[in-house]
Amino acid sequence: MREGHATTSDVLRSLKPATERGRTRTHRGTREGEGRAMDTRGISPSSRAVTASPTPSAPATTDHATVTTTHLDDRITVAVTGEIDIATAPLLANALHAALAGNTPRVEADFSAVSFCDCSGLSVLLGIRHQADSQGRAFHVAGVTSRQVQRLFQATGTTTLTTPPLA
């Protein structure tokens, strides 16, 4: 070996102690090459507990999203946390279809803790709105705080999804 050149194993050995000393570690996601920062207890910093009102269901979870359904007198709220993409859109779709299966006049998707949504998630939301309209029920997306999700709705002309229905 030439002077001043390290082998691959030397580099890997030198990196290992640095990652073990830190407060975070990488948790491999479901998609190849993707990782997510986790604290030493295995909790993602972007994960937040969703506190729900009266009767929440057990949360449905994937590596990137959590969905909790809450039944109130006049509406069902489906609170979503994380990222909605091709891998997690079915989770959202299942929860929203189940909400529409009941007889509550209003269904809302709470996106206040959604950091990302792609066209797969948008397709689910548009399909649910169509289904709700055909049943004579109200559906909207509440609490959109992510700039990325706001831009998605603006660019696709679907900001009406975020407009609450008239009482």
Side-chain angles (χ1 to χ4, degrees):
M1 178 167 81
R2 290 184 293 181
E3 185 72 30
H5 288 77
T7 66
T8 303
S9 59
D10 291 336
V11 171
L12 292 175
R13 245 182 279 136
S14 71
L15 292 176
K16 188 174 182 180
T19 58
E20 289 177 353
R21 282 191 304 254
R23 282 282 301 152
T24 62
R25 67 173 188 247
T26 300
H27 171 72
R28 192 162 186 83
T30 57
R31 293 174 290 255
E32 185 168 305
E34 180 181 58
R36 186 181 333 173
M38 306 286 266
D39 74 10
T40 55
R41 295 164 298 171
I43 300 171
S44 170
S46 63
S47 297
R48 298 191 310 187
V50 177
T51 54
S53 305
T55 53
S57 67
T61 306
T62 69
D63 284 346
H64 300 281
T66 301
V67 176
T68 305
T69 302
T70 305
H71 301 265
L72 301 170
D73 291 335
D74 64 340
R75 75 176 177 272
I76 295 175
T77 300
V78 177
V80 187
T81 302
E83 303 170 359
I84 305 301
D85 57 21
I86 195 165
T88 59
L91 179 72
L92 175 62
N94 291 340
L96 290 171
H97 282 294
L100 283 177
N103 59 2
T104 306
R106 292 179 18 203
V107 175
E108 73 178 14
D110 178 358
F111 266 42
S112 60
V114 172
S115 59
F116 176 82
C117 182
D118 70 5
C119 60
S120 302
L122 181 60
S123 178
V124 167
L125 296 172
L126 291 171
I128 292 296
R129 180 177 66 179
H130 178 73
Q131 183 180 349
D133 287 348
S134 70
Q135 295 174 358
R137 300 175 55 203
F139 170 74
H140 80 281
V141 180
V144 177
T145 57
S146 164
R147 292 288 302 142
Q148 185 277 327
V149 177
Q150 290 171 352
R151 284 193 307 266
L152 173 70
F153 289 151
Q154 290 166 352
T156 57
T158 56
T159 55
T160 57
L161 281 171
T162 61
T163 306
L166 299 174

